[in-house]
Amino acid sequence: EEVLDFAEHERMDDLFQTLGVRSSEIRSASSSRAFVLRFPWLLSTILGGTACALLAGAFSETLEKQILLAFFLTLVLGLGESVSAQSIAVTLQAMHKSKPTLLWMIGAARKEFVTSVLLGGACGGLVGMIVYTWKHDWLAALSIGGSVFLSTISACLLGVLIPAISRVLKLDPKIAAGPLTLAIADICTLSCYFGLAKMLYAILA
C-alpha cells in the first residue's frame, strides 16, 4: 500500500512539474511564496503569447485576405499544445529509465517523428475536410490542413528535444520543459499556419 501511495505521489509530482511547479513545494508554501514559485514560469507563456501576437501582426495582410484563417486559429494552437504536452509526458517517462545521450535523443526523435507524421496526417486531413465541407474552399482546406500537419510534427519533436536538452544542461527537465515547450510550440504553430497560407495563396490564388 505504501509503495502504491509513493508511486501515485511521484506521478502527481511529474504532472505538476510539467506545468512549471513542484506540488511538494506548493502544498506547504504561503501565498507570497507560491507566487514567487509560480510566476517566473508563467513569464514564458506571456513572452510566447506576445511573440505570437507580433507574428499575427506581421501576417495581418494575409488574415485580411482570408478571414477564414482566423476562425481556425484557436483549433490549430490547441492541437499544437496538446501534441507537445503528450510528447513531453512520454519523454519524461522514458527519461526515468535512461540517460538522454545524443544517441538516445536521435532515437527518441526518430520514433516521435514517425508518430507525429501519423498524428499530423490524421489531424490535418480531418481539419481540412471540415474546412472544405463548411466553406467549399479547397485552397483554405489545403492551407489549414497542411499547417496542422507541419505544426504537429514540430510540436512532437519539441516535446522530445527540449526536455532532453534541459537534462543535458543540468536543468530540471520537468520544470523547464513544460511552459517553455508550449510557448515555443505556439510560435512554431503560428509560423507554419501563416507562412504556409501566405505561400499557397501567393502561388495558387
Side-chain angles (χ1 to χ4, degrees), residues 90-92 94-95 98-109 160 164:
V90 170
T91 302
L92 290 177
M95 287 169 62
S98 58
K99 186 178 179 181
T101 62
L102 179 60
L103 288 176
W104 183 92
M105 280 193 285
I106 292 173
V160 173

Side-chain angles (χ1 to χ4, degrees), residues 12-156:
M12 288 304 295
D13 272 339
D14 281 350
L15 172 62
F16 273 87
Q17 289 181 58
T18 57
L19 300 175
V21 295
R22 283 192 175 91
S23 60
S24 56
E25 290 181 340
I26 293 297
R27 276 197 302 268
S28 58
S30 64
S31 297
S32 57
R33 176 60 179 164
F35 170 80
V36 171
L37 290 170
R38 293 165 64 176
F39 183 71
W41 297 106
L42 297 180
L43 282 175
S44 63
T45 303
I46 294 172
L47 293 174
T50 302
C52 287
L54 294 173
L55 194 59
F59 286 95
S60 58
E61 187 177 339
T62 303
L63 272 172
E64 289 172 6
K65 288 181 179 177
Q66 186 48 263
I67 194 64
L68 186 59
L69 293 173
F71 299 162
F72 287 88
L73 195 54
T74 53
L75 183 150
V76 173
L77 284 171
L79 272 176
E81 290 186 350
S82 298
V83 169
S84 61
Q86 289 176 349
S87 294
I88 292 170
V90 170
T91 302
L92 290 177
Q93 284 297 314
M95 287 169 62
H96 278 310
K97 302 175 183 178
S98 58
K99 186 178 179 181
T101 62
L102 179 60
L103 288 176
W104 183 92
M105 280 193 285
I106 292 173
R110 184 187 296 120
K111 180 180 178 181
E112 195 65 15
F113 176 76
V114 175
T115 303
S116 70
V117 169
L118 296 174
L119 289 172
C123 293
L126 181 58
V127 172
M129 286 173 58
I130 291 171
V131 174
Y132 185 77
T133 302
W134 181 30
K135 290 295 184 179
H136 300 289
D137 186 338
W138 68 270
L139 190 53
L142 178 63
S143 172
I144 296 171
S147 66
V148 167
F149 175 72
L150 293 176
S151 62
T152 298
I153 293 175
S154 65
C156 278

Side-chain angles (χ1 to χ4, degrees), residues 152-172:
T152 298
I153 293 175
S154 65
C156 278
L157 293 178
L158 286 170
V160 173
L161 296 176
I162 292 181
I165 292 170
S166 298
R167 173 70 68 82
V168 171
L169 296 176
K170 303 196 182 302
L171 300 172
D172 187 339

Side-chain angles (χ1 to χ4, degrees), residues 180-198:
L180 182 61
T181 303
L182 294 180
I184 296 175
D186 281 347
I187 295 170
C188 290
T189 296
L190 279 190
S191 297
C192 292
Y193 192 59
F194 290 128
L196 183 62
K198 183 175 182 178

